[in-house]
Amino acid sequence: QVQLVESGGGSVQIGGSLRLSCTYTTYRMGCMGWFRQAPGKVRERVAGILAGGGTSYADSVRGRFTISRVNAKNTLYLQMDNLKPEDTAMYYCAAGSDCAGAFPIGFIRWGQGTQVTVSS
């Protein structure tokens, strides 16, 4: 049973950068990725990555965020550049049993979340 632990969140100014990390105990599921949820909003997908390295991004973050993974370290990353106030949310690491593009779907395991706050 995979366990996910996120880290790297924090507060940053507009235009700044953060890198989120997610360590996992074991992974034999279809896809991994990052989702986020702002207060009062539904959880939305941000980025996903296939076992073979293919990636998918939400339109709102494409060109600013980069997802990657280092299998030898059992770690998933989300590099976030040129951050905007609308990126403020709780970010969750996810491992899914299936994939839509590279986004995790199906039976999904979640991490506990890490808060990202972008302000002026």
Side-chain angles (χ1 to χ4, degrees):
Q1 181 170 325
V2 64
Q3 293 183 330
L4 310 169
V5 179
E6 302 98 332
S7 62
S11 296
V12 65
Q13 291 187 327
I14 295 172
S17 298
L18 283 173
R19 188 177 77 160
L20 306 183
S21 299
C22 171
T23 56
Y24 47 92
T25 54
T26 182
Y27 176 59
R28 296 186 179 89
M29 304 180 84
C31 295
M32 296 193 72
W34 293 92
F35 288 68
R36 67 187 181 187
Q37 187 168 16
K41 296 189 177 181
V42 300
R43 190 171 297 188
E44 62 177 0
R45 60 190 189 184
V46 175
I49 187 166
L50 296 166
T55 57
S56 295
Y57 294 95
D59 289 343
S60 59
V61 307
R62 187 175 292 112
R64 301 188 297 120
F65 290 10
T66 303
I67 188 172
S68 61
R69 60 190 294 178
V70 178
N71 291 330
K73 295 183 177 182
N74 278 12
T75 304
L76 180 73
Y77 299 100
L78 184 69
Q79 176 66 41
M80 304 186 295
D81 297 318
N82 191 21
L83 283 160
K84 304 176 180 180
E86 52 263 42
D87 295 318
T88 295
M90 185 72 77
Y91 282 71
Y92 296 90
C93 178
S97 58
D98 296 291
C99 310
F103 290 113
I105 61 170
F107 180 72
I108 296 178
R109 293 283 184 185
W110 300 99
Q112 83 286 353
T114 186
Q115 178 68 36
V116 171
T117 303
V118 184
S119 58
S120 58

